[in-house]
Amino acid sequence: MRCYRCGSVLSDSNLCNGCGADVKIYKRIIKLSNTYYNMGLEKARIRDLSGAADILRRSVRMDKKNIQARNLLGLVYYEMGEVVEALSQWVISKNIQPEKNIADDYIREVQSNPTKLESMNTTIKKYNTALSYAKEDSDDLAIIQLKKVVSLNPRLVKAYQLLALLYMKRDEYGRAKKYLTKSLAIDTKNTLSMKYLGEIEKLNLVTDTAKKPEGPKEKKPLSGNDVIIPENSYKDVNYGLMQFITVVVGILIGAAMVYFLITPAKENRAAADYKETINEYSENISKLNISLGELQSNLDTLTAENERLKESLSEAAKVEDITAAYTSLLEAAELFAKDDKAGCAMKLLDIGDLQGKSAEYTALYNALKEKSFEEAYKSSYNAAYQAENSSRYNDAIEAFKICERLQPENLEILYHLGKNYVSLNNGAVDDTAKAYFSKVVELGPGTNFAGWAANYLK
């Protein structure tokens, strides 16, 4: 158990070891939430789903971050055919705990079958339509819709209950009993279904005792007072001591809940940050697309110009030289488009002098240089240091040499090149290492790198 204020692991003490907050009431709330979770789990195991749902709702009201209770509540809803409610609980659970959360598997399982998901969505719409028909006394239309609902979603308990209610209204108690039996096969202790069955047995008994030998059986229509109205929530049995504890703790919760009002604010702020991050990524992608579009336009222009040069220049050697230069630039642009900025930078270094090149050529060269040299330097620099720290001196030298080509007078790079050659030669300062150290001393007199390099030259 962690402190609600600073997140520190709580001990047996009633004070947080991290921030000193009084966590006595908080501990009781968490324990009560866990108690409700255990009670809900027991009810779920005996398929008392409506009872489990009611208990688990109490658990997550006590502790919104009770991931086990929220995930189990989603499973209970799913077993009762209420897929939308199940997904809602799992999504909330995933937002509270993004990593290592089994709700990911539940959501993925539901979303992996789009056909089934669409079918579940259709059943909800049809159930709502049937409910509207029932309120308008269009019982036949309501029954038709509900039969479609239970054929598409055989676990939707409330659809069976509404069907049974409509058949009871029409005095068709046998059919009503059949659908109530199906609902109890899914939710074995559903009090509403059991209440309907009790009413059916009572009505059948009244009908049997009221029979007259000399006359035909009369059907007594149900009055408005006889119709059983579905109740909104599950009424559980009295839990004795637990109810007493709930009352006592409830008084204390009133003062403690003030501390938890910050949770919704944090969730809203996290959602806003997430949205802002998405917008930022979208803007960056748009900028990259525009940049690539401009480069592609320049690339197309250079390709056309290259073709014209091939046709117009008569001297074979001159054509060959210019074509090679343009080909290298085109290859560099292709490497940049593939996000290989290091390769692009190396191609640009091989081109060399821009004298005599066209304005389009120079513009594309400069644009590629600006966008690739810095990235190529950073990636090569990081790779060199990782190789050096791992004693892979050949790899380090190769990466540092790329940095040297990009920044020929960088004292740090020159010093590390000499240092890696020394390490490669088991501590011996060969001519190559001396050349690098001498260059550091020459370019940066008075600097730390020059002082360190001079030590190797003694």
Side-chain angles (χ1 to χ4, degrees):
M1 188 183 302
R2 293 183 177 274
C3 176
Y4 64 88
R5 179 177 292 176
C6 67
S8 301
V9 177
L10 298 177
S11 62
D12 294 335
S13 172
N14 290 329
L15 296 177
C16 174
N17 295 328
C19 63
D22 188 348
V23 294
K24 182 178 180 181
I25 298 175
Y26 172 73
K27 282 184 175 182
R28 290 181 180 178
I29 293 171
I30 298 301
K31 289 179 181 178
L32 184 58
S33 175
N34 291 334
T35 300
Y36 278 136
Y37 164 72
N38 292 330
M39 293 167 62
L41 182 61
E42 290 300 320
K43 284 183 174 291
R45 283 174 176 168
I46 61 174
R47 296 198 66 81
D48 181 5
L49 301 182
S50 54
D54 183 66
I55 293 296
L56 292 170
R57 282 193 293 268
R58 299 182 193 180
S59 176
V60 297
R61 278 199 296 269
M62 290 291 174
D63 179 14
K64 293 181 180 180
K65 296 183 179 180
N66 192 333
I67 301 301
Q68 290 181 313
R70 200 172 287 280
N71 288 342
L72 180 57
L73 180 58
L75 286 175
V76 170
Y77 279 136
Y78 187 79
E79 279 297 304
M80 295 172 69
E82 300 185 28
V83 180
V84 175
E85 291 292 337
L87 284 172
S88 299
Q89 294 300 325
W90 292 333
V91 169
I92 294 172
S93 172
K94 187 175 182 297
N95 286 333
I96 295 173
Q97 181 181 312
E99 302 296 333
K100 297 181 180 180
N101 192 338
I102 198 172
D104 272 335
D105 298 333
Y106 298 152
I107 296 172
R108 193 180 304 114
E109 179 68 24
V110 174
Q111 293 178 341
S112 64
N113 191 342
T115 304
K116 184 177 180 181
L117 191 59
E118 180 61 27
S119 175
M120 295 298 101
N121 188 39
T122 302
T123 60
I124 297 299
K125 293 179 181 178
K126 289 184 178 295
Y127 175 82
N128 291 334
T129 302
L131 193 58
S132 298
Y133 285 147
K135 290 178 180 178
E136 297 169 359
D137 291 330
S138 302
D139 296 347
D140 291 334
L141 294 175
I143 288 172
I144 292 172
Q145 290 293 327
L146 289 169
K147 285 184 176 179
K148 293 179 181 179
V149 169
V150 296
S151 66
L152 292 172
N153 187 359
R155 293 180 177 274
L156 192 55
V157 173
K158 60 185 180 182
Y160 288 121
Q161 291 173 339
L162 185 55
L163 258 175
L165 186 61
L166 291 171
Y167 278 124
M168 289 170 66
K169 184 179 177 182
R170 296 162 60 136
D171 293 341
E172 298 182 30
Y173 301 118
R175 292 185 177 182
K177 187 174 182 178
K178 180 183 74 173
Y179 286 112
L180 290 173
T181 303
K182 289 184 177 181
S183 75
L184 287 172
I186 300 167
D187 185 4
T188 57
K189 298 291 182 69
N190 189 292
T191 54
L192 190 58
S193 297
M194 294 171 70
K195 188 173 183 179
Y196 286 174
L197 277 176
E199 291 295 331
I200 289 174
E201 293 175 0
K202 188 186 302 182
L203 291 169
N204 281 334
L205 180 62
V206 171
T207 304
D208 291 340
T209 56
K211 284 183 180 179
K212 297 180 180 179
E214 66 276 12
K217 181 178 75 174
E218 293 184 0
K219 291 184 179 180
K220 179 183 178 182
L222 290 173
S223 67
N225 294 328
D226 294 326
V227 178
I228 311 302
I229 305 301
E231 297 180 7
N232 291 328
S233 61
Y234 172 84
K235 293 183 180 179
D236 200 3
V237 295
N238 186 3
Y239 290 99
L241 180 60
M242 182 53 64
Q243 294 291 341
F244 174 75
I245 294 174
T246 302
V247 172
V248 174
V249 174
I251 298 172
L252 301 174
I253 290 173
M257 289 304 291
V258 177
Y259 292 102
F260 309 120
L261 293 177
I262 195 172
T263 300
K266 287 184 177 179
E267 293 175 354
N268 292 337
R269 185 164 60 252
D273 291 343
Y274 175 77
K275 185 176 181 181
E276 183 179 346
T277 303
I278 293 298
N279 292 335
E280 184 179 345
Y281 286 159
S282 299
E283 290 176 5
N284 291 337
I285 292 171
S286 300
K287 291 178 181 178
L288 179 59
N289 289 336
I290 293 172
S291 176
L292 290 177
E294 292 173 353
L295 289 173
Q296 184 62 45
S297 177
N298 290 335
L299 181 61
D300 294 340
T301 302
L302 284 172
T303 303
E305 184 178 351
N306 190 23
E307 294 300 324
R308 289 197 304 272
L309 286 170
K310 286 182 181 179
E311 295 174 0
S312 62
L313 294 176
S314 57
E315 297 179 6
K318 189 175 182 180
V319 171
E320 182 178 354
D321 292 341
I322 294 176
T323 302
Y326 276 79
T327 301
S328 296
L329 186 60
L330 293 175
E331 290 174 352
E334 290 175 355
L335 289 170
F336 181 86
K338 294 177 182 177
D339 203 30
D340 184 5
K341 294 183 176 61
C344 175
M346 293 301 100
K347 277 290 179 184
L348 294 177
L349 288 172
D350 292 336
I351 290 174
D353 188 15
L354 296 178
Q355 187 175 1
K357 303 298 190 296
S358 66
E360 291 84 358
Y361 184 102
T362 304
L364 180 56
Y365 179 93
N366 291 331
L368 291 172
K369 179 179 178 181
E370 180 182 355
K371 295 178 180 297
S372 64
F373 270 36
E374 184 177 355
E375 289 294 326
Y377 177 84
K378 287 180 180 178
S379 61
S380 299
Y381 181 92
N382 293 333
Y385 261 91
Q386 289 177 3
E388 183 181 77
N389 292 333
S390 302
S391 300
R392 293 183 286 109
Y393 302 116
N394 282 321
D395 294 341
I397 289 170
E398 183 178 350
F400 275 126
K401 281 187 174 181
I402 295 175
C403 296
E404 182 190 14
R405 293 191 66 189
L406 294 168
Q407 296 185 15
E409 296 184 357
N410 188 312
L411 299 181
E412 181 183 4
I413 299 303
L414 296 173
Y415 172 78
H416 278 280
L417 274 168
K419 185 180 176 183
N420 276 278
Y421 274 111
V422 171
S423 299
L424 190 63
N425 291 307
N426 297 319
V429 183
D430 60 4
D431 292 338
T432 305
K434 287 180 179 179
Y436 279 111
F437 290 136
S438 297
K439 192 172 182 180
V440 171
V441 173
E442 179 184 350
L443 293 175
T447 64
N448 289 334
F449 289 110
W452 299 332
N455 291 333
Y456 283 97
L457 296 173
K458 292 179 181 178

